[in-house]
Amino acid sequence: MLEKLSFVDLLRFGFSGGAFLLALFFCRNGIDGVFASTIGLEEGAGIVLLAIIVGSFIYSLHRALFYRLVARVVIFALDCRYPTTELPRDVPFLINTYKRDYVRWIRRCNFPAFQKNMDLWASQIHFLYGFAWATGLGAVLGRLLSASVRGDMWPGFFTALQGWRMFCLLFFLAAASFVGALLQDYVCSYYDRKLINQDLGKDIRVQKSESSE
């Protein structure tokens, strides 16, 4: 789906980047270390800019790499549970992608309010995915860089007691966000596939009627 970058997108990227930085700082320095530090205006502006850059990078990785694997799981589950909604497998990937985006573009023109809600739903799902990746990665990296683990690396990652509860809390938050996004993605993808098949069926019938005339 083609998207244009808006102020809302920048806020979404900044929120994910902020979640990454907070998870990293919390797991590395603890709550007391984070709130004890003073941040000036210039440092605050730099942190906001860094959060947007980091969040954009995480979102790009999500769409280019991580989500391709997640989408395969969602598609496989839908193919097994609802085989009638399965998109043609004998068609090349780019052609299927073109048909999907073409149908969405038609809905966006003919039913703008409906497709706007669908786009908003998908945007919220990807926001949850981005928040999950950001929080999880920040927690893991902060744990590795913490004073109790640094030097021991992976053995100390699991054995050091200091900061372990904070890491578990943040990682649970990331896992809960990921599971919530995955469940919503499953439902949203079902609706989208049903609509795509219906619209493609209408398009095929129109083409056949036009060719017969």
Side-chain angles (χ1 to χ4, degrees):
M1 181 186 300
L2 298 177
E3 298 180 4
K4 60 180 181 179
L5 191 63
S6 64
F7 181 69
V8 177
D9 295 321
L10 292 177
L11 288 178
R12 181 175 53 186
F13 299 155
F15 192 89
S16 296
F20 172 83
L21 295 178
L22 282 177
L24 189 150
F25 291 153
F26 276 132
C27 285
R28 181 183 180 185
N29 304 319
I31 297 179
D32 295 335
V34 172
F35 288 106
S37 58
T38 58
I39 300 176
L41 182 60
E42 295 182 357
E43 290 84 355
I47 291 176
V48 171
L49 180 60
L50 180 62
I52 294 176
I53 294 174
V54 172
S56 301
F57 178 70
I58 292 175
Y59 183 79
S60 299
L61 286 179
H62 162 69
R63 293 306 298 261
L65 298 176
F66 303 151
Y67 187 66
R68 294 180 69 88
L69 300 176
V70 174
R72 289 182 180 272
V73 175
V74 174
I75 291 173
F76 176 78
L78 287 172
D79 289 345
C80 294
R81 185 69 179 86
Y82 303 101
T84 57
T85 66
E86 181 179 347
L87 297 178
R89 290 192 175 186
D90 55 343
V91 178
F93 172 77
L94 288 180
I95 296 180
N96 257 342
T97 304
Y98 164 76
K99 288 182 177 180
R100 180 197 64 193
D101 292 341
Y102 174 70
V103 169
R104 289 175 178 172
W105 178 77
I106 292 177
R107 289 204 307 262
R108 196 172 289 114
C109 293
N110 296 335
F111 309 100
F114 174 81
Q115 187 58 32
K116 183 178 180 180
N117 290 331
M118 290 290 294
D119 292 340
L120 179 61
W121 190 5
S123 178
Q124 292 172 347
I125 291 171
H126 286 294
F127 167 77
L128 285 176
Y129 277 129
F131 178 78
W133 297 127
T135 305
L137 291 173
V140 170
L141 185 59
R143 177 72 173 168
L144 290 173
L145 295 177
S146 63
S148 59
V149 177
R150 193 187 306 128
D152 293 335
M153 294 303 290
W154 289 113
F157 186 94
F158 296 100
T159 57
L161 296 179
Q162 183 179 358
W164 177 249
R165 290 183 178 178
M166 175 59 66
F167 169 78
C168 291
L169 176 63
L170 291 172
F171 201 81
F172 173 79
L173 181 62
S177 299
F178 181 82
V179 172
L182 188 63
L183 294 176
Q184 288 295 312
D185 195 2
Y186 179 82
V187 179
C188 183
S189 297
Y190 170 79
Y191 275 81
D192 194 46
R193 282 158 55 115
K194 287 281 289 185
L195 292 170
I196 288 174
N197 280 311
Q198 291 176 5
D199 292 339
L200 286 178
K202 293 177 183 178
D203 186 56
I204 292 174
R205 288 193 294 270
V206 169
Q207 291 178 1
K208 288 183 178 180
S209 62
E210 290 178 350
S211 62
S212 61
E213 292 176 357

